[in-house]
Amino acid sequence: MKIQEILTITELSRLLNKSRPSTYKYISDYQSGNFENIPPLIKELFDSVENGKFNKGNIYEYCYNFLIVSSKDEIKEIYDLLNENKEKLNLTKIKEYILKEIKDEK
């Protein structure tokens, strides 16, 4: 079974914390066997769905446990790093960089 038969691309994108174009790219790469461009945890998710091991509930649980929680940990780690070093950093420049990265991804 293919993951897009279980979830919409929008729903999957939110669960993966990725843009819709990135999600489409991961699915396309997976279907063509181009696995080196897919993050390992996302490939593992696709494998589990493809092998019939995961239903919609399992997908949500997997994404929460392995993708969303780890993203929150990374965000907290970045926040702590910025907060500890705010006197040494140009936060305006960092903010501009982040906004540019977000704009470029869309």
Side-chain angles (χ1 to χ4, degrees), residues 4-15:
Q4 62 267 38
E5 294 173 7
I6 301 172
L7 300 171
T8 66
I9 293 298
T10 300
E11 191 175 19
L12 181 59
S13 296
R14 288 184 185 137
L15 288 171

Side-chain angles (χ1 to χ4, degrees), residues 1-33:
M1 177 171 284
K2 295 180 180 175
I3 198 158
Q4 62 267 38
E5 294 173 7
I6 301 172
L7 300 171
T8 66
I9 293 298
T10 300
E11 191 175 19
L12 181 59
S13 296
R14 288 184 185 137
L15 288 171
L16 298 178
N17 198 27
K18 300 292 181 187
S19 68
R20 286 178 45 221
S22 293
T23 302
Y24 277 116
K25 179 76 171 122
Y26 293 146
I27 291 171
S28 174
D29 284 346
Y30 185 84
Q31 291 172 343
S32 66

Side-chain angles (χ1 to χ4, degrees), residues 25-84:
K25 179 76 171 122
Y26 293 146
I27 291 171
S28 174
D29 284 346
Y30 185 84
Q31 291 172 343
S32 66
N34 188 17
F35 303 128
E36 64 272 357
N37 294 325
I38 305 170
L41 290 174
I42 294 175
K43 183 188 178 300
E44 184 178 311
L45 171 65
F46 289 175
D47 287 342
S48 295
V49 171
E50 192 84 11
N51 295 329
K53 295 178 184 174
F54 276 13
N55 60 29
K56 190 170 188 171
N58 300 125
I59 294 169
Y60 269 84
E61 184 178 348
Y62 179 90
C63 290
Y64 178 77
N65 289 329
F66 294 105
L67 301 173
I68 296 172
V69 171
S70 62
S71 294
K72 287 179 182 177
D73 291 342
E74 288 175 354
I75 290 170
K76 182 179 179 334
E77 185 178 328
I78 291 168
Y79 172 80
D80 290 343
L81 183 65
L82 290 171
N83 195 36
E84 290 169 12

